[in-house]
Amino acid sequence: MKCQIVGVQRKTGSFTPKDRNEKVDYDNIVMHCVHKDMHVAGDAVDTVSVKASEAGELIAAVGGDMRGLVGHVFDFDFSKFGKMVAFELVK
């Protein structure tokens, strides 16, 4: 999916799943994207989340600062479960 990053944020925290009695910590980079979708008239918006520990290569592609993602166009590939598995910096 080709999309332009229009915003980025880091989300951290913890939660307790209903099926387990232990806290799970999270640290994610959330990218707010604009892209084309054949089911949407005009542009569609979506978020793409990546674990911060797995975002090094993505952030390095734009100069090493998470805020540098804003304004760039990426082509993301996702697994059947919706996890980003590959990317290409388009612009």
Side-chain angles (χ1 to χ4, degrees):
M1 167 177 76
K2 281 188 185 173
C3 63
Q4 181 174 6
I5 310 297
V6 294
V8 64
Q9 71 184 117
R10 188 165 190 172
K11 286 189 168 183
T12 59
S14 61
F15 67 97
T16 305
K18 292 181 181 181
D19 61 341
R20 298 190 318 217
N21 196 17
E22 61 186 64
K23 283 191 175 181
V24 176
D25 295 324
Y26 63 89
D27 184 5
N28 297 325
I29 305 296
V30 181
M31 296 167 282
H32 299 263
C33 308
V34 176
H35 62 93
K36 296 294 182 188
D37 185 319
M38 62 188 238
H39 302 291
V40 176
D43 292 327
V45 294
D46 218 336
T47 58
V48 176
S49 294
V50 180
K51 290 182 180 181
S53 62
E54 298 172 2
E57 201 174 315
L58 180 71
I59 294 170
V62 296
D65 185 356
M66 177 182 80
R67 293 172 291 188
L69 293 165
V70 176
H72 286 282
V73 176
F74 284 89
D75 188 3
F76 293 116
D77 290 329
F78 298 96
S79 70
K80 65 181 180 179
F81 302 109
K83 180 180 178 183
M84 186 191 74
V85 294
F87 73 90
E88 179 182 354
L89 176 60
V90 177
K91 177 180 165 189

